[in-house]
């Protein structure tokens, strides 16, 4: 067998193993080690085990991952994220579809701090959806807004997906964070715009008109509940941008700040800290087990020559047109996004997709933002959007799956608009990083 | 749990005990990582003097421990990310067979991993392995986290596979995987 053939069989075998519930880490790792043994010799296969994991994991940049995970879990386990929705509605409920607009803003903050789309959808569906249903909001809108807004977390920095992409593609984590900022805000504003216009044209979507008057005292109380997350996020980002600490160190600062804020608010308990630490460890160990598999897979594919052949083939079809490549990547992510969550899917596909982007001479920061936006869209597209299922799970029989998908459809339209803007105007991603860092 | 044969209960206790010790260590290193990095930044900003060796200690000791020590714990909590969309539509008996076969692949992979990293750790220990730095920094102790982590992981996978064989159902907690994306 030629190396190229072994490469193709390897990819097919890895996907087959995945379908049979073999963990992603093992499917990638086992196939790669076996493949390298076949292409070169058994010693080479063992040599990769010897050289890659220890040297790669003992890497300063990677420490950002457990630290940002810890920051996110501290925010959720100590309850810094509680009260966010209730407080923000005081400021936003006057707008058409006010509670839905509040949800977008609350989800964006929650997701940015927690770094997890699915955790955001899960928590906010328990808080915000019942509230919207109480005011007779259209159930599709109520659920759709939470499913979609949860996805804002990976684009609005700090974001674990960005850290992992930046490390794998060898680009600056700081630039990646900056690049995601505008696309994230634009996505959120598009959601809000769509909600306001729809509720203005069709007021029954937003149910009973809420005529709440809030006192000054209530507003002050609300600010007290809202401040922790914006302060946390802006201190972390601000510190990076003015150069107080590096993006890698920012994770530790974020975790310390989150703990201090929780302490200040008397919300820091031993069990909350313990939960945050255990969740972080499970998350980090699981992510890096996959990442090691990805690194083995990258070595294996490189030896088989498959990525080069594939790039040549794709480029001969697409010419210099990067849009066609992006459409191809979009199709892959929408299909595979039905089965695999965003981190797993990104780590699974980067060994094949990144060489394509490099061969087509795309800006890797811009490409990274597109990849992340696509991965997040995959979380809400039918027939299987992970976020949609999480919300359905949280609400039980109250709303049907079809209804949620109908509600999400409007948000997907806005996502496609946002994605097109990101693709057509690379400046949207690249302007802020060049402004601050060059 | 109560319906399991005695030796499996004993196995569960042993593996849980081993994995808990390592998770405790990993948790300790996680907190230490946060404090150490924070202290280094503080020292840099306030005294203009970083703590020497922060980068090496954090990367080679804490990071490596946080990643490799908890592998078995993650397996026991069903936290390794997998795809069960097709799998969960299989009949129960087929699920058990496919799951056990999958476990055998995992066991082979991590056994190879354990074997090779064990040899590396022995070699590094005998050579008192160091890394390039502006002072002498020993890395050989952290080499041991790889074989120790993967060996316990192999035990945990074997345990999960035996439990599935005995009970006839695949235990799918899987909840932890959700919080990751």
């Amino acid at each position: 067998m030629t190396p190229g053939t072994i490469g193709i069989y390897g990819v097919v075998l890895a996907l087959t193993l995945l379908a049979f519930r073999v963990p992603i880490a093992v499917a990638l790792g086992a196939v790669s080690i076996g493949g390298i043994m076949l292409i070169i010799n058994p010693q080479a296969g063992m040599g990769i085990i010897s050289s890659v994991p220890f040297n790669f994991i003992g890497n300063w940049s990677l420490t950002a991952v457990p630290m940002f995970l810890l920051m996110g879990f501290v925010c959720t386990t100590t309850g810094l994220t509680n009260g966010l929705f209730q407080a923000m509605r005081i400021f936003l409920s006057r707008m058409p579809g006010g509670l839905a607009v509040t949800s977008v803003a609350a989800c964006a903050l929650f997701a940015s701090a927690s770094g997890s789309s699915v955790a955001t959808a899960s928590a906010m569906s328990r808080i915000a959806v019942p509230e919207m249903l109480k005011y007779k909001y259209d159930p599709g809108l109520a659920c759709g807004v939470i499913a979609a807004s949860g996805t804002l977390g990976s684009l609005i920095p700090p974001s674990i997906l960005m850290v992992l992409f930046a490390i794998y593609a060898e680009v600056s984590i700081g630039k990646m964070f900056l690049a995601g900022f505008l696309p994230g805000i634009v996505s959120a504003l598009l959601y809000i715009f769509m909600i306001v216009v729809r509720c203005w044209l069709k007021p029954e979507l937003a149910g009973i008109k809420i005529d709440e008057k809030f006192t000054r005292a209530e507003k002050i109380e609300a600010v007290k509940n809202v401040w922790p997350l914006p302060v946390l996020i802006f201190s972390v980002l601000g510190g990076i941008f003015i150069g107080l600490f590096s993006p890698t160190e920012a994770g530790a600062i974020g975790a310390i700040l989150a703990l201090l804020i929780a302490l200040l608010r008397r919300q820091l308990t031993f069990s909350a800290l313990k939960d945050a630490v255990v969740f972080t460890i499970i998350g980090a160990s699981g992510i890096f087990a996959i990442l090691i598999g990805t690194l083995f897979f990258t070595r294996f594919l490189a030896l088989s020559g498959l990525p080069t052949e594939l790039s040549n083939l794709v480029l001969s079809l697409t010419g210099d047109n990067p849009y066609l490549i992006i459409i191809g990547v979009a199709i892959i992510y929408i299909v595979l996004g039905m089965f695999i969550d965003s981190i797993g899917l990104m780590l699974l596909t980067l060994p094949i997709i990144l060489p394509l982007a490099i061969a087509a001479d795309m800006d890797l920061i811009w490409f990274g933002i597109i990849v992340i936006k696509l991965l997040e869209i995959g979380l809400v597209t039918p027939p299987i959007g992970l976020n949609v299922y999480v919300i359905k799970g949280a609400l039980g029989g109250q709303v049907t799956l079809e209804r949620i998908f109908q509600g999400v459809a409007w948000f997907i339209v806005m996502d496609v608009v946002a994605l097109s803007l990101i693709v057509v105007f690379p400046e949207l991603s690249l302007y802020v990083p060049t402004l601050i860092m060059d | 749990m109560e319906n399991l044969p005695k030796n499996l209960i004993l196995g569960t206790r042993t593996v849980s005990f081993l994995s808990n010790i390592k998770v405790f260590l990993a948790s300790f290193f996680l907190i230490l990582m946060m404090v150490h990095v924070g202290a280094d930044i503080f020292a840099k900003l306030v005294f203009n003097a970083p703590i020497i060796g922060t980068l090496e200690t954090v990367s080679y000791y804490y990071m490596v421990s946080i990643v490799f020590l908890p592998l078995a714990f993650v397996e026991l909590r069903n936290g390794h990310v997998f795809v069960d969309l097709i799998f969960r539509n299989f009949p129960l008996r087929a699920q058990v067979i496919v799951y056990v076969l999958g476990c055998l692949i995992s066991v082979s992979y991590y056994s190879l991993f354990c074997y090779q990293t064990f040899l590396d750790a022995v070699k590094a220990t005998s050579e008192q392995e160091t890394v390039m730095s502006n002072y002498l920094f020993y890395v050989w102790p952290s080499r041991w986290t790889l074989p120790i982590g993967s060996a316990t992981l192999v035990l945990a996978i074997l345990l999960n596979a035996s439990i599935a064989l005995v009970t006839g159902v695949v235990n799918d907690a899987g909840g932890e995987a959700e919080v990751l994306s």
Side-chain angles (χ1 to χ4, degrees):
Chain A
M1 270 195 294
T2 63
T5 325
I6 298 175
I8 293 170
Y9 281 134
V11 173
V12 173
L13 182 60
L15 289 176
T16 314
L17 289 177
L18 280 183
F20 284 98
R21 198 194 174 281
V22 173
I24 302 179
V26 176
L28 292 177
V31 166
S32 309
I33 299 301
I36 293 171
M37 287 178 166
L38 275 177
I39 294 178
I40 310 180
N41 57 35
Q43 288 78 13
M46 299 308 275
I48 297 271
I49 298 179
S50 220
S51 60
V52 174
F54 184 77
N55 292 323
F56 187 82
I57 299 297
N59 175 332
W60 172 244
S61 308
L62 288 182
T63 58
V65 175
M67 291 291 97
F68 276 122
L69 282 176
L70 182 62
M71 175 185 107
F73 285 124
V74 167
C75 287
T76 46
T77 59
T78 60
L80 287 186
T81 44
N82 294 352
L84 193 64
F85 177 79
Q86 291 301 342
M88 288 180 91
R89 65 181 283 191
I90 292 184
F91 303 104
L92 296 170
S93 67
R94 293 278 187 88
M95 296 171 84
L99 289 180
V101 173
T102 308
S103 301
V104 175
C107 281
L109 274 179
F110 188 120
S112 172
S114 76
S116 163
S117 299
V118 179
T120 306
S122 166
M124 293 302 282
S125 59
R126 284 166 227 267
I127 304 166
V129 175
E131 197 68 17
M132 284 188 266
L133 294 182
K134 194 169 104 193
Y135 286 97
K136 303 275 179 272
Y137 267 61
D138 174 70
L141 174 65
C143 297
V145 66
I146 303 296
S149 306
T151 67
L152 293 170
S154 299
L155 269 184
I156 301 178
S159 137
I160 302 281
L161 267 178
M162 284 183 186
V163 174
L164 289 171
F165 180 90
I167 291 169
Y168 186 86
E170 297 179 345
V171 295
S172 141
I173 299 175
K175 278 193 179 173
M176 203 64 207
F177 279 180
L178 287 170
F181 199 72
L182 279 183
I185 301 290
V186 166
S187 302
L189 289 177
L190 280 169
Y191 288 169
I192 292 176
F193 170 78
M194 183 270 290
I195 293 168
V196 170
V197 170
R198 276 190 76 206
C199 292
W200 183 58
L201 293 175
K202 209 176 158 193
E204 65 267 28
L205 280 176
I208 313 163
K209 189 147 177 56
I210 306 170
D211 206 15
E212 289 171 307
K213 288 270 186 293
F214 297 102
T215 62
R216 214 183 144 77
E218 279 175 315
K219 286 182 182 168
I220 293 171
E221 190 59 31
V223 173
K224 278 189 193 159
N225 277 324
V226 175
W227 72 267
L229 293 190
V231 165
L232 178 63
I233 294 164
F234 284 103
S235 327
V236 167
L237 296 180
I240 298 174
F241 303 150
I242 58 174
L244 281 184
F245 39 80
S246 70
T248 306
E249 296 166 328
I253 297 290
I256 292 172
L257 270 181
L259 285 172
L260 287 179
I261 294 174
L263 191 68
L264 198 70
R265 290 166 58 88
R266 295 164 197 272
Q267 286 172 314
L268 185 65
T269 60
F270 180 72
S271 79
L273 178 63
K274 192 181 137 212
D275 283 350
V277 168
V278 169
F279 286 145
T280 302
I281 281 181
I282 292 179
S285 195
I287 289 172
F288 286 113
I290 301 178
L291 189 58
I292 291 169
T294 306
L295 295 168
F296 286 158
F297 203 52
T298 309
R299 301 287 193 289
F300 162 56
L301 289 181
L303 284 172
S304 76
L306 200 63
T308 325
E309 280 176 40
L310 194 71
S311 303
N312 291 341
L313 176 73
V314 172
L315 291 182
S316 71
L317 295 174
T318 61
D320 281 342
N321 191 340
Y323 300 140
L324 288 176
I325 294 176
I326 292 168
I327 291 172
V329 175
I331 293 170
I332 295 174
Y333 279 3
I334 304 274
V335 174
L336 289 179
M338 293 172 198
F339 312 100
I340 310 170
D341 74 335
S342 10
I343 291 181
L345 182 54
M346 189 178 81
L347 295 178
L348 177 70
T349 51
L350 278 184
I352 295 176
I353 286 171
L354 197 68
L356 264 179
I358 295 172
D361 209 18
M362 289 190 215
D363 185 292
L364 291 185
I365 301 252
W366 173 59
F367 184 69
I369 299 298
I370 295 171
V371 162
I372 289 167
K373 183 72 192 169
L374 282 173
L375 285 167
E376 296 296 296
I377 297 176
L379 286 177
V380 290
T381 42
I384 295 143
L386 209 50
N387 269 6
V388 172
Y389 276 79
V390 166
I391 291 172
K392 169 75 183 146
L395 296 176
Q398 290 181 56
V399 185
T400 64
L401 213 50
E402 290 72 28
R403 201 65 195 270
I404 305 181
F405 275 121
Q406 278 169 14
V408 169
W410 286 93
F411 290 90
I412 297 177
V413 173
M414 290 301 113
D415 275 335
V416 173
V417 175
L419 183 66
S420 314
L421 290 173
I422 296 170
V423 171
V424 177
F425 303 106
E427 298 82 11
L428 198 60
S429 315
L430 301 176
Y431 179 66
V432 183
T434 45
L435 187 72
I436 298 184
M437 303 198 49
D438 285 343
Chain B
M1 178 87 184
E2 291 75 31
N3 309 326
L4 290 176
K6 269 202 181 119
N7 48 0
L8 270 189
I9 294 180
L10 190 70
T12 310
R13 289 204 181 125
T14 316
V15 177
S16 302
F17 177 71
L18 289 175
S19 90
N20 284 345
I21 295 177
K22 293 187 301 159
V23 167
F24 181 78
L25 279 174
S27 307
F28 176 70
F29 284 128
L30 182 75
I31 301 283
L32 210 56
M33 177 189 265
M34 176 182 82
V35 173
H36 198 148
V37 173
D40 180 55
I41 297 167
F42 185 78
K44 264 192 283 198
L45 292 178
V46 178
F47 307 114
N48 206 13
I51 300 173
I52 296 167
T54 301
L55 192 143
E56 290 81 6
T57 317
V58 170
S59 320
Y60 283 106
Y61 288 170
Y62 308 159
M63 187 66 197
V64 170
S65 309
I66 291 169
V67 170
F68 292 107
L69 290 181
L71 285 172
F73 183 74
V74 180
E75 169 69 25
L76 292 178
R77 301 274 292 251
N78 255 312
H80 284 292
V81 185
F82 54 81
V83 180
D84 70 343
L85 191 76
I86 304 167
F87 179 84
R88 64 171 173 240
N89 297 315
F90 290 169
L92 270 186
R93 182 169 294 201
Q95 282 192 2
V96 172
I97 296 169
V98 168
Y99 175 70
V100 170
L101 288 176
C103 285
L104 291 180
I105 296 176
S106 302
V107 166
S108 328
Y109 171 62
Y110 285 115
S111 300
L112 272 186
F113 190 95
C114 178
Y115 171 73
Q116 183 60 45
T117 53
F118 173 75
L119 294 183
D120 294 341
V122 171
K123 184 159 168 271
T125 310
S126 66
E127 290 170 358
Q128 301 278 294
E129 186 189 17
T130 57
V131 281
M132 290 289 281
S133 179
N134 42 9
Y135 68 101
L136 201 59
F137 187 85
Y138 290 105
V139 287
W140 65 265
S142 72
R143 284 269 182 192
W144 285 98
T145 57
L146 282 76
I148 293 173
S150 48
T152 329
L153 173 59
V154 167
L155 291 181
I157 299 170
L158 286 174
L159 182 74
N160 274 348
S162 326
I163 292 176
L165 275 179
V166 170
T167 56
V169 271
V170 177
N171 174 26
D172 260 338
E176 268 79 26
E178 275 181 4
V179 288
L180 292 182
S181 43

